[in-house]
Amino acid sequence: MAIGNNQTSLTSSGFGLELKDIDLAELDDNTKSILVEGFYASGGAILIRNQQHLTPKQLCDFVSLFGSVEKNEKYDPNFLEPDFPEVLRIGNLMEDGQRKALWIKSDEERLWHSDDTFRHPQPIGSCLFCVTAPPTGGETWFAGMGEAYDDLTFEIKQKIKPLTALHSYNHLNEFLRKTNPHRPPLSSEMRKNLPPITRPLVVEHPVTHKKALCVTNIHIEAISDLDETEARVLLNDLLDHATKPEFVFSHAWKPGDLIVWDNRCAMHAPSPFDENKYNRLMYRLTMNGEQVIPDGN
Ligand code: OGA
Ligand code: MN
């Protein structure tokens, strides 16, 4: 849906915004305010195409409009762009038999998540920039959790208002191990450093103060006051609601496309591609900033 000459909504609920006629190499004050306002007005996902000319420095300058840009210390230095540790390569790139990018294998099941809800502070969002895309597959899906929350019935809003969920990295790791038995269990050191944390099912965005669902079910181990079956039924119902077509768009990447998302009010999910036939290379920049406050903090 066209909103003006150069803005198009990516879903019928208003979640997701494509901003057109923008050159991110020229960040004047007017462009900066269009980008930042667009980011929050979009419910947490903006798409800009045709930016293949950007340098890593210009990508960093752009992403720093939304938060402080992470230096990716926890990743293998072989996956980072020379002189720009902010730029993490994601994909199936190999050189001399060595991986040169972080390889996130995705399967057919759509694994909806927002990044690292099991830790506080969490990265507030990321930018994916497409360098090389397969002709088919490898799309990324996005879903708006503010729009999905607004659309719930009064009864459901009342029911979930007091509920909190236990988000756990170990739960995610064990879930991923079911389809990937080579993935090792978490070390006791990791489990100690990343203990489960509690977040409400309905969170408030620290900048817009809009409410959003936080139902990253692959991270959630338990829900307060519900037994395991009730918790799974509720989470599946909420996830089904939150990923209805009106709240969701999928993006088929072309080189030069870029999407910035907000983990505090949007979920995303990767999709597979034929990695033996095609190349996919993305640059990922991650930002830190104002947090949704988990329970007990
Ligand atoms: C991520 C992610 C999906 C993709 O970078 O956090 O989930 O399609 N990426 O690359
Ligand atoms: Mn992710």
Side-chain angles (χ1 to χ4, degrees):
M1 191 184 24
I3 294 178
N5 285 340
N6 40 28
Q7 297 200 359
T8 310
S9 186
L10 298 172
T11 64
S12 62
S13 66
F15 168 66
L17 204 56
E18 175 171 356
L19 303 178
K20 295 178 183 159
D21 304 325
I22 284 191
D23 181 352
L24 297 179
E26 313 273 337
L27 282 184
D28 56 33
D29 286 347
N30 183 42
T31 309
K32 283 184 191 170
S33 62
I34 290 172
L35 292 164
V36 173
E37 280 166 28
F39 179 66
Y40 291 115
S42 71
I46 53 173
L47 161 67
I48 304 157
R49 302 181 203 256
N50 302 320
Q51 305 299 315
Q52 44 275 70
H53 53 285
L54 292 188
T55 62
K57 165 82 172 72
Q58 287 167 332
L59 266 176
C60 291
D61 290 347
F62 163 65
V63 175
S64 69
L65 296 177
F66 309 100
S68 65
V69 187
E70 191 166 300
K71 293 258 173 39
N72 293 314
E73 271 127 8
K74 66 181 181 195
Y75 291 104
D76 183 336
N78 285 316
F79 302 162
L80 308 180
E81 277 292 284
D83 301 329
F84 288 95
E86 296 90 345
V87 178
L88 170 70
R89 291 187 294 261
I90 292 188
N92 56 343
L93 184 68
M94 304 277 286
E95 247 173 51
D96 304 324
Q98 298 266 13
R99 285 214 175 275
K100 299 296 279 182
L102 177 70
W103 174 233
I104 308 175
K105 183 156 177 58
S106 52
D107 51 33
E108 294 300 329
E109 192 185 349
R110 199 163 302 152
L111 297 183
W112 286 107
H113 64 282
S114 39
D115 296 318
D116 294 14
T117 59
F118 45 75
R119 67 179 169 98
H120 178 70
Q122 88 174 122
I124 62 159
S126 281
C127 167
L128 274 181
F129 173 80
C130 178
V131 182
T132 312
T136 170
E139 302 86 2
T140 310
W141 293 74
F142 293 89
M145 295 299 101
E147 292 70 16
Y149 173 77
D150 289 345
D151 193 53
L152 291 170
T153 62
F154 177 75
E155 287 72 28
I156 297 192
K157 284 182 182 161
Q158 290 298 103
K159 176 179 171 186
I160 63 177
K161 195 173 166 182
L163 298 181
T164 59
L166 195 64
H167 293 246
S168 139
Y169 186 42
N170 191 53
H171 181 80
L172 172 66
N173 197 60
E174 289 303 314
F175 171 80
L176 296 174
R177 270 161 49 75
K178 284 187 199 150
T179 47
N180 182 0
H182 301 296
R183 197 182 167 100
L186 289 192
S187 64
S188 51
E189 178 87 15
M190 278 291 261
R191 291 179 68 148
K192 209 167 82 211
N193 291 342
L194 278 176
I197 65 166
T198 304
R199 290 180 183 274
L201 282 190
V202 180
V203 296
E204 185 182 299
H205 193 289
V207 178
T208 63
H209 300 291
K210 266 186 65 88
K211 287 186 174 155
L213 281 172
C214 180
V215 289
T216 46
N217 69 342
I218 54 175
H219 301 174
I220 296 177
E221 196 167 286
I223 296 186
S224 56
D225 301 334
L226 300 187
D227 69 29
E228 209 178 319
T229 313
E230 288 169 331
R232 283 298 145 211
V233 169
L234 178 66
L235 279 175
N236 288 339
D237 285 352
L238 290 173
L239 195 71
D240 283 350
H241 167 80
T243 53
K244 285 203 276 198
E246 57 265 42
F247 311 125
V248 167
F249 69 92
S250 121
H251 187 64
W253 296 97
K254 296 267 178 302
D257 292 353
L258 164 166
I259 291 181
V260 190
W261 73 81
D262 187 329
N263 281 323
R264 300 165 294 187
C265 54
M267 290 208 285
H268 58 279
S271 44
F273 67 99
D274 187 343
E275 74 247 25
N276 298 315
K277 208 157 151 196
Y278 303 123
N279 292 323
R280 184 183 195 259
L281 178 62
M282 311 291 286
Y283 287 165
R284 185 194 204 268
L285 290 85
T286 294
M287 51 288 175
N288 295 312
E290 276 192 73
Q291 297 287 314
V292 166
I293 304 299
D295 259 37
N297 279 266

